[in-house]
């Protein structure tokens, strides 16, 4: 049995080596993503694992089918880069890693929130200019605030627990309410959450119903003192509406670990180059905006789990078993 992994980083190699040795299975890696130019490399392999932000082109699916590939394992929670209809048409089972480490993303949401509340970005900018005054940058203590969680699933629920532990009042909006979280948060409508929350954390999947979930109408409902924290997917927020809201001071600031079109610039060294996104240029120029390059997943435990679970799922399918993470929608 041979498995090919696409878009592999150096930091993933130890986990891949350990899994391969444990299972006595050959696992080869390439640094490029799965696309038309690299699809032919699946020849001679039994299974494949991917991790990428660019969509898999339509022409790739029949190539995989003709090569005898029966599955695609995505070592991420999101799988919107895969066309499920084309995958099914070509006999490909799709799996993802829905819970590689909820704490990894939740802890970044907390970190981003604390940086916003303590005005650390602004203090950093002053300090860089040798201005060590603190006037005008009074912070807010987190236990005095209401934190709104949109999407209280595995990650959102963990985020809620972290904020609750620090004394914040936590409210949430989710189509599926979880009984085990009722001691941690109070469920409410999306509209009431937007109106009441001092910090709004986004933890939803990207799908047709969540695209532009936070739009101009949503920003109009938010407090002018509120902060937006997006740790899920870029298209969940209408970027133009966000920029407008920030410019018009409808909200106090934002922390963004993901942006629409991020595949063009995140995890890419653009030192000395013109940025390929006007939205990114505008957001970076704003002193009350924090941008990180989609690093919510990037912890020791999360990376290990993403490798192990995706390879475990690949092995299960290749051996004729059913993976608990198979996407059937």
């Amino acid at each position: 049995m041979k498995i090919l992994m696409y878009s592999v980083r150096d930091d993933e190699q130890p986990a891949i080596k350990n899994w391969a040795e444990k299972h006595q299975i050959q696992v080869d890696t390439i640094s490029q993503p799965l696309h038309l130019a690299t699809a032919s490399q699946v020849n001679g392999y039994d299974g494949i694992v991917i991790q990428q932000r660019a969509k898999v082109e339509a022409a790739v699916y029949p190539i995989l089918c003709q090569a005898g590939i029966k599955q695609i394992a995505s070592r991420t929670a999101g799988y919107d880069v895969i066309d499920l209809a084309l995958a099914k048409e070509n006999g490909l089972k799709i799996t993802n890693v829905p819970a590689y480490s909820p704490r990894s993303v939740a802890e970044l949401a907390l970190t981003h929130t604390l940086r916003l509340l303590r005005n650390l970005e602004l203090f950093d900018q002053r300090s860089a200019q040798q201005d060590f005054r603190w006037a005008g940058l009074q912070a807010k203590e987190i236990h005095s605030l209401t934190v709104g969680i949109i999407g209280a699933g595995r990650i959102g629920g963990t985020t809620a627990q972290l904020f609750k532990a620090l004394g914040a009042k936590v409210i949430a909006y989710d189509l599926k309410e979880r009984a085990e979280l009722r001691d941690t948060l109070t469920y409410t409508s999306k509209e009431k959450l937007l109106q009441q929350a001092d910090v709004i954390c986004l933890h939803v999947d990207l799908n047709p119903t969540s695209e532009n979930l936070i739009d101009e109408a949503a920003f109009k409902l938010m407090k002018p003192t509120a902060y937006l924290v997006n740790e899920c997917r870029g298209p969940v927020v209408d970027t133009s509406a966000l920029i407008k809201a920030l410019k018009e001071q409808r909200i106090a600031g934002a922390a963004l670990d993901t942006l629409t079109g991020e595949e063009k610039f995140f995890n890419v060294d653009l030192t000395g180059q013109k940025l390929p996104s006007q939205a990114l240029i505008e957001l970076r120029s704003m002193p009350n905006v924090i941008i990180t390059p989609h690093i919510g997943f990037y912890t020791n435990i999360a990376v290990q789990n993403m490798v192990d679970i995706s390879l475990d799922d690949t092995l299960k399918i290749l051996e004729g078993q059913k993976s608990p993470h198979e996407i059937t929608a």
Side-chain angles (χ1 to χ4, degrees):
M1 186 180 293
K2 295 170 60 179
I3 297 172
L4 178 63
M5 297 184 70
Y6 285 88
S7 305
V8 173
R9 307 179 308 274
D10 289 344
D11 59 87
E12 295 177 295
Q13 292 290 0
I16 294 169
K17 181 181 178 182
N18 289 340
W19 188 94
E21 290 177 351
K22 177 182 177 181
H23 294 275
Q24 291 297 295
I25 291 174
Q26 180 178 335
V27 181
D28 294 324
T29 66
I30 60 174
S31 60
Q32 296 84 13
L34 173 62
H35 52 71
L36 198 54
T38 61
S40 62
Q41 296 195 45
V42 302
N43 290 319
Y45 289 91
D46 302 289
I48 61 172
V49 178
I50 71 170
Q51 179 180 3
Q52 61 193 64
R53 296 188 176 97
K55 289 187 178 295
V56 177
E57 300 110 316
V60 168
Y61 297 95
I63 293 175
L64 300 181
C65 180
Q66 291 166 13
I69 300 296
K70 302 297 183 184
Q71 54 69 236
I72 302 174
S74 173
R75 57 189 189 277
T76 59
Y79 51 88
D80 53 285
V81 299
I82 299 171
D83 187 317
L84 297 180
L86 283 176
K88 183 177 182 180
E89 185 179 314
N90 286 275
L92 299 165
K93 293 183 177 181
I94 307 301
T95 59
N96 71 334
V97 184
Y100 45 81
S101 176
R103 282 193 69 100
S104 65
V105 182
E107 288 178 5
L108 183 62
L110 176 60
T111 301
H112 274 158
T113 299
L114 290 174
R115 285 192 65 82
L116 288 169
L117 295 179
R118 300 301 304 222
N119 296 306
L120 294 184
E121 295 298 302
L122 300 176
F123 276 116
D124 286 347
Q125 292 166 29
R126 285 189 182 183
S127 296
Q129 298 171 13
Q130 301 184 47
D131 179 356
F132 300 105
R133 295 173 300 164
W134 36 260
L137 296 182
Q138 186 181 76
K140 296 177 180 178
E141 295 185 21
I142 200 164
H143 64 88
S144 68
L145 304 179
T146 297
V147 176
I149 308 291
I150 297 183
R154 295 180 181 91
I155 295 174
T158 303
T159 303
Q161 290 167 346
L162 293 180
F163 281 113
K164 178 69 171 180
L166 292 176
K169 176 183 178 181
V170 184
I171 58 178
Y173 166 69
D174 199 306
L175 296 177
K176 297 180 180 179
E177 299 186 4
R178 297 167 60 192
E180 66 270 25
L181 289 177
R182 292 196 178 278
D183 290 337
T184 301
L185 55 80
T186 301
Y187 285 101
T188 188
S189 66
K190 175 188 169 187
E191 290 72 23
K192 288 183 178 179
L193 184 148
L194 292 170
Q195 292 169 339
Q196 297 174 11
D198 299 294
V199 179
I200 297 169
C201 294
L202 305 179
H203 295 294
V204 300
D205 295 331
L206 179 61
N207 57 60
T209 64
S210 65
E211 192 166 347
N212 289 332
L213 183 68
I214 305 300
D215 55 10
E216 186 170 3
F219 285 115
K220 288 181 178 178
L221 292 174
M222 293 170 61
K223 297 179 180 180
T225 54
Y227 294 101
L228 179 71
V229 178
N230 185 8
E231 310 291 358
C232 55
R233 300 302 297 275
V236 171
V237 177
D238 182 333
T239 307
S240 60
L242 169 62
I243 293 173
K244 183 178 180 182
L246 288 164
K247 285 182 175 179
E248 296 179 354
Q249 299 183 341
R250 292 187 195 169
I251 62 172
L256 311 168
D257 190 45
T258 178
L259 285 167
T260 298
E262 65 183 50
E263 64 276 4
K264 298 177 182 177
F265 42 83
F266 280 176
N267 202 28
V268 179
D269 184 358
L270 296 173
T271 303
Q273 302 178 42
K274 181 180 179 181
L275 294 177
S277 166
Q278 182 60 34
L280 178 61
I281 293 171
E282 291 191 64
L283 289 167
R284 287 184 72 248
S285 71
M286 297 179 181
N288 56 343
V289 175
I290 299 171
I291 297 176
T292 50
H294 210 145
I295 58 170
F297 79 97
Y298 200 46
T299 65
N300 55 340
I301 293 174
V303 169
Q304 179 79 48
N305 288 342
M306 293 166 85
V307 168
D308 288 347
I309 295 171
S310 62
L311 285 170
D312 286 346
D313 286 341
T314 301
L315 181 57
K316 282 186 174 69
I317 290 176
L318 294 181
E319 290 182 338
Q321 303 176 44
K322 184 172 179 60
S323 163
H325 308 126
E326 185 175 339
I327 308 301
T328 57

